[in-house]
Amino acid sequence: MTAKARFFIRCGIAGALEKMLVLNCSIKLLTLEKMLKSHFPESLKAETDDLDHYTNAYAVFYKDFRAYQRLLEEHDVINWDQVFQIQGLQSEVCDVSNAVANSKQLGVKLTSFKAVQFSPHSALPDTNALKGSSPRLTYLNIADADLLNRTWSRGGNEQCLRYIVKLISCFPSVCVRDDKGNPVSWSLTDQFATMCHGYTLPEHRRKGYSQLVALTLARKLRSRGFPCQGNVLDDNTASISLLKNVRAEFLPCRFHRLILTPAAFSG
């Protein structure tokens, strides 16, 4: 890894993480890099499903986009024979990734989002929506994965179901359950410490559950040392309104996700 490239790490989900440490010290980052390299291949476990772009995922940050481009072109960092995703907050990630993918004859699907973060000054969770013993605020378990897979706009397939099971097992989540114990509103955290799949069943909307879940998860993440971040599509007016109401901060950058598909799987 060059000094210019700085950071380009494959993020897999191999086991549960009780706490993620955010490293800002260059000395600690170099120490971590040496530790990872000394434990290859254990610290870089490849996924066996070439169609699983949920877990075959790469997060990108660079100080010089040309270093990032050279990394893609010259180094055996990415498995180009499987479907995978690249995500980042810098604008050049789209142009550079797309150019290299085209040279390798991969299909590219780009989705761009508003980037959001919850600050310590965000509103506090309002538990007035919870009265009596039901509904109750709790967390997700793997028995809920099928429902989440069916309701997620990115889901509805076997790969996503397995991915959701891993997220629920490994990372913080929050949900509201009805009197039968079924989840009616929820949000969870992905492998990049991003809040994702915030959803409320249609028959339970306009009760304050979505706001309660989002703010509770943000506080849980902050208490464990995670960043409190998320993203939202430009046309998702309901979620944008909710985020404004809780005083979340819309960042000047955008969140970009590219899903890249080799020709062998394009059908």
Side-chain angles (χ1 to χ4, degrees), residues 12-260:
I13 310 175
L17 297 178
E18 294 183 359
K19 183 173 182 179
M20 177 182 288
L21 297 178
V22 181
L23 301 181
N24 297 314
C25 173
S26 59
I27 296 177
K28 290 182 179 180
L29 287 170
L30 288 173
T31 302
L32 174 61
E33 181 183 342
K34 291 179 181 178
M35 291 173 60
L36 289 171
K37 286 182 176 180
S38 67
H39 288 86
F40 284 158
E42 289 82 4
S43 61
L44 188 63
K45 298 183 182 296
E47 286 297 312
T48 57
D49 187 348
D50 288 336
L51 295 176
D52 184 7
H53 71 266
Y54 304 95
T55 312
N56 303 331
Y58 302 81
V60 177
F61 173 78
Y62 48 83
K63 289 197 172 182
D64 183 344
F65 76 88
R66 291 165 295 188
Y68 168 54
Q69 183 169 357
R70 289 194 297 271
L71 192 66
L72 291 184
E73 294 174 339
E74 302 171 7
H75 297 269
D76 188 20
V77 175
I78 289 178
N79 181 355
W80 296 95
D81 295 324
Q82 62 182 193
V83 184
F84 64 94
Q85 65 168 290
I86 292 177
Q87 57 178 255
L89 295 170
Q90 293 158 287
S91 58
E92 295 91 352
V93 68
C94 301
D95 295 335
V96 171
S97 303
N98 196 50
V100 177
N102 287 338
S103 71
K104 297 178 179 292
Q105 298 183 325
L106 274 73
V108 179
K109 178 183 177 182
L110 167 65
T111 310
S112 184
F113 305 77
K114 293 180 182 293
V116 183
Q117 71 175 8
F118 290 83
S119 73
H121 305 293
S122 297
L124 296 175
D126 182 2
T127 57
N128 288 330
L130 307 179
K131 298 179 180 179
S133 60
S134 178
R136 60 191 177 90
L137 189 65
T138 180
Y139 51 86
L140 294 164
N141 59 59
I142 59 175
D144 306 318
D146 183 65
L147 174 62
L148 270 66
N149 185 36
R150 288 186 279 111
T151 53
W152 201 357
S153 59
R154 297 178 57 203
N157 57 71
E158 179 184 347
Q159 289 82 13
C160 188
L161 178 61
R162 291 201 307 266
Y163 176 65
I164 290 172
V165 169
K166 292 175 183 177
L167 295 187
I168 292 173
S169 301
C170 296
F171 303 113
S173 66
V174 171
C175 77
V176 173
R177 296 185 184 275
D178 63 15
D179 56 354
K180 297 180 179 179
N182 299 316
V184 298
S185 182
W186 59 81
S187 184
L188 61 163
T189 313
D190 72 11
Q191 69 267 46
F192 299 109
T194 302
M195 297 167 63
C196 65
H197 194 10
Y199 189 85
T200 300
L201 296 178
E203 62 269 28
H204 291 278
R205 292 174 184 171
R206 305 186 68 83
K207 298 180 181 179
Y209 293 163
S210 294
Q211 179 173 319
L212 173 63
V213 165
L215 290 174
T216 302
L217 181 56
R219 293 191 75 188
K220 180 184 288 190
L221 291 171
R222 189 178 299 110
S223 70
R224 298 186 182 186
F226 286 82
C228 304
Q229 60 191 12
N231 52 74
V232 59
L233 289 167
D234 293 274
D235 59 358
N236 191 341
T237 55
S239 292
I240 291 173
S241 177
L242 181 152
L243 291 165
K244 289 180 178 178
N245 287 339
V246 301
R247 302 195 296 275
E249 179 184 359
F250 289 85
L251 303 178
C253 57
R254 293 184 65 80
F255 174 83
H256 308 286
R257 179 192 296 122
L258 298 93
I259 299 177
L260 298 93

